[in-house]
Amino acid sequence: MLLGVEYDIAAYLIWVCTFAFYILIIKRRIRISSKTIKSIKQRVSESTNNPKKMVKLGVRNIEKIIRPCGLSPQKSKSIHTLSKKLEKDHGSKVPENFKDLENLPGVGHKTASVVMSQAFGYPAFPVDTHIHRLAWRWGLSTGKNVEQTEKDLKRLFPMAKWNKLHLQIIFYGREFCPCLLYTSPSPRD
């Protein structure tokens, strides 16, 4: 529960395997609806639930699967390249450590944090621009960047709460704090 609102976090995290979770959520950087995610998740789960199968599928077929979320020509190439690297370097498994994750194509600290926290249950507090903005608005951080905001939030909250709180802030913010409607020049007005 965050600010009196309970979110069904489990509904957003029911995935067939870690790889499908990675492909569907992590590689997608533009927000898409839950309905679209479920549709794509089902297609990926049915046909390509591991890197080896994804490599065999090829770029064109990957593009057909992910087309509903947009940018499919470029994303399909990225997913295919990532799948090859996972197959070759990690035995078709998503690595369970920050170093190896951050060495994958297209993966930075935030993406690695999301995978570590949500796929593997490792305590992490992924901070994207949305969480950064909300932490600033709520007076939880005065950080000028997401790295500082992550440090501030980790200092404020117990480690055992980080994974769930990260999602709660995102879901709360999407519902109640859309950035386009917020025009106050001061973070706490």
Side-chain angles (χ1 to χ4, degrees):
M1 182 168 304
L2 177 67
L3 302 176
V5 179
E6 181 67 41
Y7 290 93
D8 185 4
I9 293 168
Y12 290 88
L13 298 175
I14 299 171
W15 307 107
V16 168
C17 66
T18 303
F19 178 69
F21 171 82
Y22 181 84
I23 293 299
L24 292 171
I25 301 304
I26 308 311
K27 294 305 290 177
R28 183 66 192 150
R29 293 210 165 84
I30 295 172
R31 192 186 330 172
I32 56 177
S33 71
S34 296
K35 184 177 179 181
T36 303
I37 288 172
K38 288 176 186 175
S39 166
I40 296 168
K41 179 189 79 172
Q42 185 175 6
R43 286 192 244 167
V44 170
S45 299
E46 292 169 355
S47 59
T48 57
N49 62 2
N50 69 57
K52 193 172 195 163
K53 288 181 182 178
M54 192 68 84
V55 170
K56 284 182 183 175
L57 194 62
V59 175
R60 280 198 173 151
N61 288 321
I62 295 169
E63 185 176 340
K64 289 176 188 173
I65 291 171
I66 66 169
R67 183 168 286 129
C69 63
L71 301 174
S72 54
Q74 188 57 44
K75 291 290 182 186
S76 59
K77 289 175 193 169
S78 296
I79 290 169
H80 192 262
T81 301
L82 170 72
S83 299
K84 281 180 170 176
K85 184 149 178 75
L86 287 172
E87 183 181 13
K88 180 181 177 234
D89 298 345
H90 301 284
S92 291
K93 298 209 181 298
V94 175
E96 290 189 47
N97 65 74
F98 281 100
K99 183 182 175 197
D100 288 341
L101 282 168
E102 290 177 9
N103 282 325
L104 291 171
V107 177
H109 180 69
K110 183 197 78 170
T111 299
S113 292
V114 172
V115 172
M116 290 297 289
S117 66
Q118 303 307 320
F120 299 121
Y122 180 87
F125 207 125
V127 175
D128 60 5
T129 55
H130 198 76
I131 290 179
H132 174 66
R133 186 181 73 247
L134 292 172
W136 183 74
R137 275 189 202 172
W138 296 339
L140 300 174
S141 175
T142 57
K144 301 285 187 213
N145 55 51
V146 295
E147 291 83 10
Q148 183 58 50
T149 299
E150 180 180 348
K151 288 176 187 173
D152 292 343
L153 294 173
K154 283 180 170 181
R155 196 172 50 247
L156 283 172
F157 298 103
M159 187 184 294
K161 303 252 186 215
W162 292 353
N163 294 357
K164 186 174 180 180
L165 189 57
H166 154 253
L167 292 173
Q168 288 173 315
I169 292 172
I170 289 172
F171 299 147
Y172 183 88
R174 283 182 185 166
E175 190 167 340
F176 298 107
C177 305
C179 63
L180 297 176
L181 300 178
Y182 187 73
T183 58
S184 175
S186 174
R188 293 170 231 354
D189 285 350

